[in-house]
Amino acid sequence: MPECYKTASRLQKYRILEGYGSCIDENYIKDRATQDVVIDETQLRKMILKKDRDGALHYIEDLFINNLRSEVSVDVLYQLALKLAILLQDIKREYKLGQPGNMQDFSEMIEQIYKADDIMGLKSIFISEIAEIITYLHTEDSQYTPVVKQIMAEVQKNYREDMNLKILSYKYHMNASYLGQIFQKEVGCSFTQYLSNTKNRIAKDLILNTNMKINDIAREVGYPDTSYFYRKFKQCYGVSPASLRTVKKY
């Protein structure tokens, strides 16, 4: 019985591919493929921010129905779901969406992902969340003044460099304190926090999509002190860089 229990526990996650109540044995996973399913995160992000509801929902529908064949590995399926959950979390954080209406926080989404009975249930989680995000973007259309847009663009381009408001205020001929107030009001966080969020988002992508060592990723995004990078990353995502890579491997 202990051996049977271990086998059943190991195979349990595969029920998401066939649905609750299905029968799965060792032969079911013996020759299963492990090829990746590619997500065009840039395209999906653009559709959401352009409030293209039909386009975004059709993309999710196509991703789960047409690109996930029955022989795909369940690990690939969960990695796909994890990447989508993090993408949506980044959008909510960047556009100050908080948790209005029926939107879920990151931990709630992860819990829902692992509770899903089948692929259709998994797909519905993301369709619902994307619909809520687009609805809220319609009511809270984020508009930034030109100088704030320029600063945000500069952060995206030069995030590795030692940037601060004093340097930027000199460049844009503005008082540093006043510039900081404008940025805080429009973006919803301080410049320092925005820069940190940008570094962490890029680090997250490298953790999930490359085999770079964590120390190298820290330096790549402008954190020479790896322990400091660990602290800032965990503050942002609630998990350490090493833990996120472990989840990816799972």
Side-chain angles (χ1 to χ4, degrees):
M1 285 189 70
E3 286 302 316
C4 290
Y5 180 79
K6 288 180 182 178
T7 301
S9 297
R10 184 166 55 85
L11 297 177
Q12 186 178 18
K13 63 182 180 179
Y14 285 89
R15 68 177 172 79
I16 195 170
L17 296 174
E18 297 295 335
Y20 184 79
S22 55
C23 294
I24 299 169
D25 59 16
E26 294 280 6
N27 292 328
Y28 179 83
I29 65 171
K30 185 177 180 181
D31 299 316
R32 189 161 294 276
T34 57
Q35 62 199 56
D36 288 337
V37 177
V38 178
I39 310 173
D40 191 338
E41 295 186 42
T42 301
Q43 180 187 353
L44 180 57
R45 180 184 174 87
K46 284 181 179 178
M47 286 189 288
I48 292 173
L49 297 181
K50 287 181 179 179
K51 303 164 195 170
D52 180 6
R53 184 188 301 266
D54 291 341
L57 299 187
H58 176 76
Y59 183 89
I60 294 297
E61 184 81 23
D62 181 67
L63 186 66
F64 278 92
I65 302 306
N66 296 332
N67 290 315
L68 287 173
R69 297 180 296 276
S70 60
E71 70 272 12
V72 74
S73 166
V74 72
D75 297 325
V76 170
L77 178 61
Y78 280 127
Q79 286 182 30
L80 168 76
L82 178 63
K83 288 180 181 180
L84 285 174
I86 292 177
L87 171 64
L88 299 184
Q89 184 72 5
D90 282 341
I91 292 173
K92 287 185 285 186
R93 179 182 290 110
E94 183 176 346
Y95 287 84
K96 307 174 291 180
L97 301 189
Q99 301 304 139
N102 296 317
M103 281 198 290
Q104 307 174 81
D105 64 24
F106 186 67
S107 60
E108 289 173 336
M109 284 203 73
I110 295 300
E111 184 177 0
Q112 289 297 313
I113 287 169
Y114 285 103
K115 282 184 176 179
D117 287 332
D118 52 27
I119 291 179
M120 298 300 288
L122 196 59
K123 181 193 70 174
S124 69
I125 293 170
F126 293 105
I127 285 180
S128 174
E129 191 72 3
I130 288 172
E132 285 292 329
I133 290 173
I134 291 175
T135 297
Y136 196 72
L137 284 172
H138 270 296
T139 58
E140 294 289 330
D141 195 4
S142 298
Q143 296 293 329
Y144 302 113
T145 55
V147 67
V148 171
K149 286 182 179 179
Q150 286 178 302
I151 290 174
M152 294 172 74
E154 188 153 342
V155 169
Q156 300 301 319
K157 182 179 179 181
N158 301 314
Y159 57 87
R160 298 181 187 86
E161 299 178 6
D162 184 17
M163 303 176 68
N164 58 58
L165 276 179
K166 186 176 181 179
I167 295 172
L168 292 170
S169 64
Y170 180 80
K171 178 176 181 178
Y172 293 106
H173 310 289
M174 295 181 69
N175 177 274
S177 178
Y178 179 63
L179 181 58
Q181 291 174 10
I182 292 176
F183 195 93
Q184 175 81 41
K185 182 179 179 181
E186 295 188 18
V187 182
C189 66
S190 67
F191 170 78
T192 302
Q193 186 62 56
Y194 182 78
L195 176 60
S196 177
N197 289 345
T198 301
K199 290 174 180 284
N200 288 325
R201 174 173 54 80
I202 294 167
K204 173 264 300 179
D205 291 338
L206 292 173
I207 290 169
L208 291 176
N209 299 312
T210 74
N211 292 320
M212 288 177 64
K213 295 180 180 178
I214 301 297
N215 290 351
D216 293 336
I217 291 175
R219 288 190 291 270
E220 174 66 21
V221 298
Y223 283 119
D225 183 347
T226 304
S227 61
Y228 182 68
F229 166 60
Y230 263 74
R231 290 198 302 273
K232 300 301 287 185
F233 191 91
K234 190 166 185 178
Q235 286 175 8
C236 185
Y237 288 109
V239 295
S240 71
S243 296
L244 182 61
R245 175 153 283 175
T246 300
V247 173
K248 172 200 171 184
K249 290 179 180 177
Y250 171 77

